[in-house]
Amino acid sequence: MLYAVLKTLHLLAIIVWIGGMVFAHFFLRPALPAFEPAVRVRLMHAVLGRFFGAVLAAIAITLLSGLWMIGNVAKQVAQAGSQFSMPLEWTVMATLGIVMMLIFGHIRFVLYQRLSRAAQAADWSAGAAVLAQIRTWVAVNLGLGVLIVLVTLLGVPR
């Protein structure tokens, strides 16, 4: 029962993270040119601040639940007298998930701080430049997230 609850939380956290990136990248950002630069930068700063808080929670849930599930399976295999060998799909998922978390750390703790400074200084061109960098890294993370989902669902060709 606990495994099912943690797996559900794990999946919901991933849905929030990937779904938020899809929304921001494909729906929110393309709608922004209708607004003045000051509004665009302030709006994205406010939206990203809220979203990044949710992503931090999603990362914590994903990391803790994933580690617990892997550890639980390894423990069960060991108790059955076998040696645990993590499936390749799990290894790919965990490795790329860590890469995504590191990229997010760069976005949140470096680029978003630059965006905050640009918004506070009313430097709209600097804000736009930082938003372009954020957009690039979000696209990379979105691609990695989709790849993880595909590998997890379809497997790795052998």
Side-chain angles (χ1 to χ4, degrees):
M1 175 67 174
L2 180 58
Y3 188 91
V5 169
L6 289 175
K7 187 172 183 178
T8 301
L9 289 173
H10 191 83
L11 290 170
L12 290 173
I14 297 302
I15 289 168
V16 166
W17 192 358
I18 292 176
M21 289 189 294
V22 167
F23 171 76
H25 198 72
F26 294 109
F27 301 98
L28 178 59
R29 186 191 59 79
L32 291 177
F35 301 99
E36 297 297 318
V39 174
R40 283 193 294 247
V41 171
R42 285 185 181 131
L43 175 65
M44 286 304 293
H45 180 261
V47 169
L48 291 176
R50 288 170 177 80
F51 177 58
F52 291 164
V55 173
L56 284 171
I59 285 172
I61 291 166
T62 301
L63 192 57
L64 293 173
S65 62
L67 289 172
W68 187 93
M69 288 186 291
I70 290 169
N72 187 55
V73 170
K75 178 182 165 187
Q76 289 177 351
V77 169
Q79 287 175 339
S82 295
Q83 178 140 356
F84 176 70
S85 177
M86 193 153 82
L88 181 58
E89 289 81 5
W90 290 15
T91 302
V92 170
M93 176 177 34
T95 302
L96 293 180
I98 296 292
V99 170
M100 285 182 69
M101 291 173 198
L102 292 171
I103 290 170
F104 172 76
H106 174 68
I107 294 169
R108 171 59 185 90
F109 298 109
V110 176
L111 298 178
Y112 184 72
Q113 293 305 320
R114 290 181 192 161
L115 179 62
S116 294
R117 287 192 297 273
Q120 289 173 352
D123 187 346
W124 311 128
S125 61
V130 175
L131 284 170
Q133 291 176 316
I134 290 172
R135 179 173 58 248
T136 299
W137 283 111
V138 167
V140 169
N141 250 5
L142 181 56
L144 289 173
V146 169
L147 179 61
I148 290 169
V149 170
L150 292 175
V151 164
T152 304
L153 292 175
L154 303 176
V156 176
R158 293 181 177 99

